[in-house]
Amino acid sequence: MAFEFFVKSDITFGRNSVNELPKLIKGYKAKKVMLVYDAGVKFAGIADTVLHSLNEADVEIVVFDKVIPNPTNEIVEKAAVIAKEEEVDAFVAVGGGSSIDLAKAIDVLMTNPGPIGRYGGIGMVEHDLLPLIAIPTTAGTSSEITNVSALIDTEKVIKYVVIDNKLVPSKVIIDPEFTKTMPASVTASTGMDAITHAVESYISNMATPLTEYNSLQGLKIIYHNLPKAVKDGSDMEAREQMMLGCVITGFGFSNANLGLVHGIAHTLSAHFQLAHGMANATVLPYVMAFNAKSCPEKMVELAKAIDLPVTGDIDTDKYLLSEELLKLTKELGIKTLSEQGITEEDFEMVADDVLNEPVLGFNPRQNVTKEDVLAILKKAY
Ligand SMILES: [Zn+2]
């Protein structure tokens, strides 16, 4: 057995752990902090709570509240200009994956020359970043602990990733109270993103015993708690478990990578601005059924992990998970592609672009064809 496994996160977990923020900021000796969040975080009152906490740290604050879902290169460059002009020396990102991914990318440009697009790929960032404290308000992307920033290149119309260990936030504050106000639909789609991370990383051809352990544990926790959190947003036990499941899963997939589900979702988000979690969830059951032929034993292990009734016949058992995921997506109100505004005329172009997604290199079923992708899109329509 031989493998590498990278973990760097420094996590404070628990209700009201946001109260730790002033102490952390002081620890970094920061003088001017850029606070990055979106309108939803403002609307939920979370931005005000964090601002209040930051005020206690006795630092100047520069607010960047123009975060959009699927952040683009343009917004990164725009925010970086402000951050440089203001000479900020630390970042606090509050929100879902979009806010945290955006803050990571702005931070890259504070110590490395632009444009941000040059850092697409793995290990392309040269200099260490300024301190970044991540405060997630969704349970899904695990961006708070990963070394990834996913961005849209609007010229090439692709969603690409900057992957570099320097991007791992310096500190993470996970306060499940902040997920309480998340609407049921967002809880469902971001939670399905987390399930996608667990299953795709488990069957990835980069998986190791340590990532497999994380993926299975994460799946168990998220699968059992997601329906509870969607049904009753104030179920704090379920909310807490969702956050925990995302951390565990994040350690797995940031080492094992993902697969075809994310390849399709990235393409759909780049062209049609589909929300990341929803795009994944829509195609997840069909891609897992497609992959089952290449990794039947692992599909059975996933089914066992969530107590599905395995029969011992691998030919049927290998599809138990994809069937269950289809049921789960229906139960949680995940939309079809047509309900998200995609038309069948779009399929050809989407399928062509999916084949260029680098993440397909980690998918257990290799040599994916255009016809394969078209068949999956039709099923998800
Ligand atoms: Zn994802």
Side-chain angles (χ1 to χ4, degrees), residues 193 197 262 276 280:
D193 184 28
H197 295 155
H262 272 74
H276 176 72
N280 274 320

Side-chain angles (χ1 to χ4, degrees), residues 6-250:
F6 174 82
V7 190
K8 197 184 98 177
S9 297
D10 181 354
I11 301 169
T12 298
F13 190 108
R15 292 182 213 176
N16 303 314
S17 54
V18 71
N19 297 334
E20 295 292 311
L21 186 57
K23 198 173 78 191
L24 291 172
I25 292 289
K26 282 181 184 160
Y28 290 122
K29 298 191 169 44
K31 293 190 175 64
K32 207 174 206 182
V33 174
M34 181 177 253
L35 179 60
V36 181
Y37 58 86
D38 65 15
V41 165
K42 171 83 183 159
F43 183 72
I46 295 168
D48 288 340
T49 306
V50 175
L51 269 167
H52 181 74
S53 181
L54 268 178
N55 280 328
E56 285 176 34
D58 201 21
V59 284
E60 284 188 73
I61 301 162
V62 178
V63 167
F64 188 83
D65 58 0
K66 310 265 184 311
V67 179
I68 52 168
N70 300 309
T72 60
N73 283 351
E74 286 81 7
I75 198 156
V76 174
E77 304 285 346
K78 197 172 137 188
V81 168
I82 299 170
K84 281 184 200 163
E85 274 175 10
E86 294 281 353
E87 297 180 348
V88 305
D89 52 10
F91 291 86
V92 175
V94 188
S98 301
S99 295
I100 300 172
D101 282 7
L102 176 62
K104 287 173 178 175
I106 304 167
D107 202 354
V108 167
L109 295 185
M110 297 305 284
T111 51
N112 296 273
I116 187 66
R118 68 196 282 179
Y119 301 107
I122 299 175
M124 305 294 284
V125 180
E126 197 180 342
H127 302 292
D128 286 339
L129 313 191
L130 300 177
L132 163 61
I133 300 172
I135 308 179
T137 61
T138 64
T141 67
S142 303
S143 181
E144 63 275 13
I145 56 148
T146 69
N147 57 359
V148 184
S149 172
L151 303 167
I152 303 274
D153 183 325
T154 47
E155 275 172 31
K156 294 183 190 155
V157 201
I158 53 162
K159 186 161 184 172
Y160 72 101
V161 285
V162 178
I163 301 179
D164 196 296
N165 292 344
K166 298 183 187 75
L167 266 68
V168 178
S170 338
K171 182 75 199 181
V172 187
I173 294 176
I174 299 179
D175 190 335
E177 288 289 333
F178 283 171
T179 62
K180 203 160 71 175
T181 52
M182 191 171 24
S185 62
V186 181
T187 303
S189 59
T190 52
M192 285 307 298
D193 184 28
I195 286 188
T196 308
H197 295 155
V199 298
E200 281 212 293
S201 59
Y202 185 71
I203 61 173
S204 158
N205 55 28
M206 294 276 286
T208 69
L210 207 41
T211 66
E212 287 169 358
Y213 177 81
N214 279 268
S215 302
L216 284 182
Q217 289 299 322
L219 175 65
K220 269 188 211 175
I221 295 173
I222 298 161
Y223 172 79
H224 290 301
N225 286 282
L226 178 56
K228 292 182 200 165
V230 171
K231 202 170 160 212
D232 176 9
S234 61
D235 181 342
M236 286 313 295
E237 174 65 22
R239 290 291 197 191
E240 208 167 69
Q241 289 294 317
M242 284 299 295
M243 296 303 257
L244 180 64
C246 282
V247 171
I248 294 169
T249 304

Side-chain angles (χ1 to χ4, degrees), residues 263-283:
I264 297 175
H266 282 178
T267 306
L268 291 169
S269 293
H271 284 282
F272 309 104
Q273 289 76 50
L274 260 54
H276 176 72
M278 189 64 89
N280 274 320
T282 308
V283 296

